Amino acid sequence: MSSTDHQSTPQITNNNVDDLVETQEAVVETEREKITQLSLADIGYWLDRKEIKNVIVVSGAGVSVSAGIPDFRTPGSGLYDNLDKYNLPFPEAVFDLNFFKSNPQPFCSLAKEIWPGKYCPTLTHAFIKLLQDRGILLRNYTQNIDGLEVLAGVDPDKVIECHGHFRSAKCVDCKTPFDADVCRDMMAQGNVPNCHFCRDIPITHTVVDTGNPDVTGDGEEISFQRGLVKPDIVFFGESLPQKVKDSIQKDLLACDLLIVMGTSLTVYPVALLPLLIPDYCPRVLFNRELVGDFCGNSNEDEGDSSFRALRDVFSSGDCDDSVRKLCQLSGWEHDLDGLYEGICTKYGHLAPKEEPPVVEDEEAPPLEVEDAVDAILAHTPDLTDEEEVVQQPSKKQKVDDDNHSPFRFVSFNETECN
């Protein structure tokens, strides 16, 4: 080899590597600077252009308020304020598994009042169905137990009812399925359904000290009855449905638009979903107030918060009004109205009740209580295991993914996040 050839051979040094890293980081920052604040008009534009392919919807009690379904905590009208007749040690006990096993009668009496079948789906439920009809609904993670998504025609395979539903029932001990219609009819008559395969053998259990002065019986032994049956809604002391964990990771990786509607985002692990979405994925919040970390609302890292906030859109107000506005921007309003008219025709006998005057967003009853969050997470260890959590992509991945995504379109001037 000649001296000339030797001199032309590139030498790799630590300085070269450092320079390369700095160059790549500069490219990433340059790409970030090109991304402007999103607006609802941007989302409508992409929907109209069919640029959005996989939408995840996270919905809470707010999407059902216009159907007349009361929430759980609003003073006066909330469910928990109207349980005095059941003589409970504390309101949430009616949805507590241990309390149910020791005294099932209060829940069985309440069940006939909250069992689905009295309410018609809302315009927002019609919007979720419209997303499915357009072929872009990846999944609807709902915290509600009213079943209105399925009643509106959304494919049950597309709906993850994180807090369960009333369409099926089973024994709380041996898990043997029980006919849901029979369960409903028995509870409607004030009777307690019993499993055909379990004997009523009294067992004792020591109540864990919750530290709540309102909870009676802490540390005491109480008698349980085996073979009790209840609908498949999630009680305190129960894990979330397996379907939640089975779907969440692959759904988050495929999602290119997240829409969060009518939820306070305070109940875990559902509240984690918006946090696990990659930063480059647009997020839309339809809610009466700003919640979670939307629009940089609560992020310790100011830099990441600034970039994440650029990909967020917050539309304040009732869910029905917000979904109509989005459909107007995307040219879908006619289809939305047609779908909703069909739903109202089919379920017109389920006349909506008057909306409560004050609405505080609440989730499914068994998971809304702050004191029970730790207990719920303790029953779902796999969901928070390191191998189950979707990791945020690297900066380079964000740039590469943006290059073949619709999220590089020039933004309209309208801004939802201020």
Side-chain angles (χ1 to χ4, degrees):
M1 178 181 296
S2 66
S3 61
T4 303
D5 291 336
H6 178 74
Q7 292 174 357
S8 64
T9 302
Q11 301 295 314
I12 304 299
T13 67
N14 288 335
N15 290 336
N16 294 138
V17 175
D18 293 340
D19 290 343
L20 180 59
V21 171
E22 290 179 4
T23 300
Q24 290 176 332
E25 291 179 347
V27 170
V28 170
E29 292 305 319
T30 300
E31 291 295 325
R32 284 188 176 220
E33 291 174 1
K34 293 180 182 178
I35 300 175
T36 55
Q37 176 67 59
L38 291 183
S39 71
L40 198 60
D42 290 315
I43 306 301
Y45 175 72
W46 292 334
L47 290 174
D48 181 43
R49 298 258 310 197
K50 300 181 179 179
E51 298 289 348
I52 302 294
K53 305 297 183 183
N54 294 292
V55 180
I56 289 180
V57 175
V58 176
S59 52
V63 305
S64 298
V65 165
S66 62
I69 299 178
D71 61 17
F72 293 90
R73 291 182 178 276
T74 297
S77 63
L79 177 66
Y80 288 151
D81 260 12
N82 293 277
L83 297 176
D84 291 343
K85 59 185 176 181
Y86 299 118
N87 195 28
L88 300 169
F90 56 103
E92 295 82 5
V94 73
F95 296 110
D96 182 89
L97 185 61
N98 287 341
F99 183 84
F100 176 76
K101 287 182 175 182
S102 64
N103 183 10
Q105 193 61 55
F107 173 77
C108 292
S109 299
L110 176 66
K112 61 183 178 182
E113 300 180 27
I114 64 174
W115 205 286
K118 301 179 181 179
Y119 304 98
C120 179
T122 68
L123 187 73
T124 302
H125 294 110
F127 171 70
I128 300 173
K129 175 64 163 62
L130 181 57
L131 291 173
Q132 175 183 283
D133 291 351
R134 291 275 176 164
I136 62 174
L137 178 64
L138 177 61
R139 207 80 61 195
N140 175 200
Y141 288 85
T142 177
Q143 298 172 314
N144 300 330
I145 57 175
D146 51 41
L148 292 185
E149 299 85 6
V150 175
L151 200 63
V154 181
D155 186 342
D157 290 338
K158 293 286 187 180
V159 181
I160 304 291
E161 292 163 302
C162 301
H163 300 163
H165 54 77
F166 285 84
R167 293 189 304 277
S168 60
K170 62 175 174 283
C171 172
V172 298
D173 293 308
C174 71
K175 311 305 180 185
T176 299
F178 191 92
D179 189 293
D181 292 336
V182 174
C183 179
R184 177 197 60 208
D185 294 343
M186 291 185 66
M187 289 186 172
Q189 297 171 8
N191 298 322
V192 180
N194 284 283
C195 177
H196 302 304
F197 299 95
C198 280
R199 295 167 53 191
D200 289 336
I201 304 175
I203 58 176
T204 59
H205 174 77
T206 301
V207 179
V208 177
D209 186 352
T210 63
N212 186 342
D214 296 329
V215 179
T216 60
D218 281 358
E220 298 179 1
E221 286 193 350
I222 57 176
S223 295
F224 285 169
Q225 294 291 322
R226 291 187 61 85
L228 297 175
V229 171
K230 72 172 185 64
D232 287 333
I233 61 174
V234 179
F235 274 24
F236 289 123
E238 292 186 300
S239 8
L240 296 181
Q242 181 66 29
K243 190 177 181 181
V244 177
K245 188 178 69 173
D246 291 343
S247 301
I248 190 170
Q249 186 167 357
K250 60 182 180 181
D251 285 351
L252 290 173
L253 291 173
C255 177
D256 56 13
L257 174 63
L258 176 73
I259 301 178
V260 178
M261 304 190 292
T263 173
S264 59
L265 288 180
T266 57
V267 179
Y268 291 86
V270 176
L272 291 173
L273 289 176
L275 301 175
L276 297 176
I277 290 291
D279 284 353
Y280 55 79
C281 180
R283 304 185 307 178
V284 176
L285 174 65
F286 292 154
N287 208 46
R288 290 185 173 180
E289 59 184 12
L290 190 62
V291 296
D293 71 334
F294 273 82
C295 302
N297 186 42
S298 58
N299 196 314
E300 296 180 358
D301 189 323
E302 184 176 350
D304 287 345
S305 174
S306 176
F307 176 73
R308 173 70 269 178
L310 292 176
R311 317 302 295 154
D312 290 345
V313 177
F314 171 47
S315 181
S316 176
D318 295 338
C319 293
D320 289 352
D321 294 336
S322 294
V323 299
R324 179 173 293 281
K325 182 179 179 182
L326 177 57
C327 286
Q328 289 171 344
L329 292 169
S330 61
W332 291 6
E333 187 176 23
H334 178 74
D335 292 342
L336 177 68
D337 287 336
L339 265 177
Y340 187 51
E341 182 179 352
I343 290 173
C344 291
T345 299
K346 186 175 182 180
Y347 301 107
H349 61 289
L350 303 175
K353 298 180 181 179
E354 182 179 355
E355 180 179 343
V358 179
V359 175
E360 294 182 2
D361 178 64
E362 298 295 339
E363 314 301 341
L367 297 178
E368 180 63 14
V369 186
E370 288 185 6
D371 293 340
V373 170
D374 291 338
I376 295 169
L377 292 177
H379 283 277
T380 56
D382 292 340
L383 191 60
T384 53
D385 285 349
E386 183 175 356
E387 66 271 17
E388 294 290 347
V389 177
V390 179
Q391 300 296 322
Q392 293 286 354
S394 66
K395 292 182 179 180
K396 183 177 185 303
Q397 285 175 319
K398 292 174 183 175
V399 175
D400 291 343
D401 289 337
D402 274 348
N403 285 334
H404 56 75
S405 73
F407 312 135
R408 291 172 55 81
F409 281 93
V410 177
S411 172
F412 291 88
N413 291 328
E414 178 186 354
T415 300
E416 297 291 339
C417 292
N418 297 315

